[in-house]
Amino acid sequence: MKIMKFGGTSVGTPDRMKSIIPLITGDEKVVVVLSALSGTTNSLLEISELIYAGKTAEAVDKNEILRSKYKQVVNDLYSTDDSRKEGFDLINSHFDYIGEFISKAFTKLHEKAIVARGELLSTALFHNLLRERGIRSALLPALNFMRIDKDGEPDAFYIAENFKRELALYPDEKIIVTQGFICRNAFGETDNLKRGGSDFTASLVGAAINASEIQIWTDINGFHNNDPRFVKNTKVLREISFDEAAELAYFGAKILHPSSVNPARQNNIPVRLKNTMNPDDEGTLITANAIWEDYKAVAAKDGISVIRIKSDRMLMAYGFIRKVFEIFEAYKTPVDMVTTSEVSVSITVDNPQYLKQIEADLKELGSVEVENDQSIICVVGDFRTERTGSAPEIFEALDTIHIKMISYGASPHSLSILIDSKDKVQALNLLNKYLFDQ
Ligand code: ADP
Ligand code: ASP
Ligand code: MG
């Protein structure tokens, strides 16, 4: 059994939805994980923000605009009046549901319930399309088996047990359709796996059933060696390892959700990235197999803050670093990069939620300085210590960029550099020119 996840653009228009049918109707049983139609999650978040801000009339307008967009989708997607009628009823039930939240007390939980409409709509519309075409399939509600724990981490055991139980209800169906992204939290409320989370669903579900392959279908031929949104002439990588893909995804390569490689890596399930618009292209294969190359790819992660703590005493005195990290742990804030000197330590975080509290607590230990609007550039390649000569090339490429921190030696696969976000595009282009463009 394989997993096939289709992202927002891949199901973004009625024609695109129709075009994925031949891709999923092969011999092997498939679990089809769908995202919301492109733009929908953003629109639903905007509606939630308007409700939150008490801008009722604007929220109603936006909800109605989205309802009409979906009416058009239903018109173009189906060919019979019965299917269209069913489609209109479906979308009305979802947009009426959103309408009921407008002008009521609103919390983050309501926002999650609204945002979940995107994936609930796309999967129901697609399932009905298959039925209209006479293709058998089962629609499994992700809210029956996807669950995160109280720390927001997926509960792999729960997911595996419940997904297998749901699957067992449909032993004869060759196509199983389910929602990406959405889940329940530890209290049973509707929640999600954060932006881009459908990739994570695909990988978690793949791990749950030990799938033969996890396919991520998107709008580009595969993993590129640099961010195509900011750099021209990027090239597709045909094979990369789990470790390399995980580093790139974690450090900002948007093509994969930051955590999505882990379940596949732990269960040694190959991940294939494919282009829905160009299905004959082989795409990128991600496996445990590492092919060392001096430089493979570059990615950048924005929204980073750096915290510099200067101790009054010698930093390495017993227990100082432990006390620093305990503060981050107390606020459940993971750290990305760390560098130390005799009396100071610099730490980066990508989650600013508790930054003020962390800063206040750290002040008990020494003087503290926080700088926002930073980006981490991650270069993936061969950084095994037995190799010489890689670092000079990178720093030569970046000799016009202000470098704030360097992390080297933590991973044999990568080197990370902290810079001001305003320099990111220039840095990505310089690295492209020096490392790949010869
Ligand atoms: P989907 O909606 O299918 O999940 P995403 O927009 O989340 O698609 O991810 C695909 C996009 O990721 C590409 O269109 C591309 O702009 C962007 N991207 C960023 N870095 C990379 C990279 N290294 N390789 C390929 N695509 C990348
Ligand atoms: N629809 C969600 C998002 O836009 C999840 C996903 O596309 O993977 O973030
Ligand atoms: Mg995505």
Side-chain angles (χ1 to χ4, degrees), residues 5 196 199 254-255:
K5 175 258 169 177
D199 304 329
K254 187 183 175 239
I255 188 162

Side-chain angles (χ1 to χ4, degrees), residues 4-204:
M4 299 179 81
K5 175 258 169 177
F6 293 90
T9 340
S10 305
V11 292
T13 62
D15 281 345
R16 291 262 160 82
M17 271 203 207
K18 290 173 196 168
S19 76
I20 69 177
I21 296 178
L23 304 175
I24 63 169
T25 40
D27 292 335
E28 195 175 355
K29 184 162 177 162
V30 285
V31 178
V32 177
V33 176
L34 298 186
S35 294
L37 276 62
S38 49
T40 296
T41 307
N42 285 348
S43 299
L44 293 169
L45 282 168
E46 280 162 25
I47 293 171
S48 304
E49 262 162 42
L50 290 169
I51 305 177
Y52 205 59
K55 296 182 177 166
T56 308
E58 284 171 59
V60 172
D61 278 356
K62 241 195 173 335
N63 195 35
E64 292 315 312
I65 291 169
L66 199 56
R67 190 198 300 257
S68 356
K69 186 186 144 188
Y70 271 85
K71 280 197 174 151
Q72 194 55 51
V73 169
V74 164
N75 255 324
D76 299 342
L77 191 61
Y78 303 114
S79 48
T80 66
D81 286 344
D82 281 353
S83 301
R84 287 203 182 99
K85 158 96 182 53
E86 211 179 319
F88 293 138
D89 289 347
L90 173 83
I91 60 177
N92 282 333
S93 74
H94 284 290
F95 289 101
D96 290 350
Y97 174 89
I98 298 173
E100 280 167 26
F101 285 101
I102 302 177
S103 77
K104 283 198 190 141
F106 197 70
T107 67
K108 271 273 164 219
L109 279 180
H110 298 135
E111 177 192 294
K112 304 252 170 83
I114 287 182
V115 167
R117 303 294 113 195
E119 273 69 14
L120 293 169
L121 274 161
S122 63
T123 46
L125 290 171
F126 185 69
H127 177 60
N128 289 351
L129 174 67
L130 293 176
R131 202 179 45 200
E132 188 186 56
R133 298 274 178 103
I135 302 166
R136 288 184 52 169
S137 70
L139 179 59
L140 293 197
L143 297 180
N144 287 2
F145 57 86
M146 286 303 296
R147 190 180 169 107
I148 49 174
D149 62 21
K150 58 182 181 1
D151 295 325
E153 295 298 325
D155 184 339
F157 181 76
Y158 180 99
I159 294 169
E161 292 297 298
N162 288 280
F163 183 58
K164 283 189 272 191
R165 192 202 58 227
E166 292 280 316
L167 260 188
L169 301 174
Y170 302 98
D172 301 328
E173 299 298 349
K174 276 182 66 188
I175 301 174
I176 306 291
V177 180
T178 192
Q179 299 86 21
F181 178 59
I182 65 173
C183 61
R184 289 193 190 278
N185 62 23
F187 309 103
E189 298 143 341
T190 302
D191 211 314
N192 63 58
L193 300 172
K194 307 220 173 79
R195 295 309 304 267
S198 299
D199 304 329
F200 203 11
T201 305
S203 187
L204 287 162

Side-chain angles (χ1 to χ4, degrees), residues 5 7-8 217-220 222-224 226-229 253-255:
K5 175 258 169 177
W217 290 77
T218 181
D219 58 2
I220 190 161
F223 224 119
H224 280 221
N226 206 328
D227 195 323
R229 293 168 299 173
K254 187 183 175 239
I255 188 162

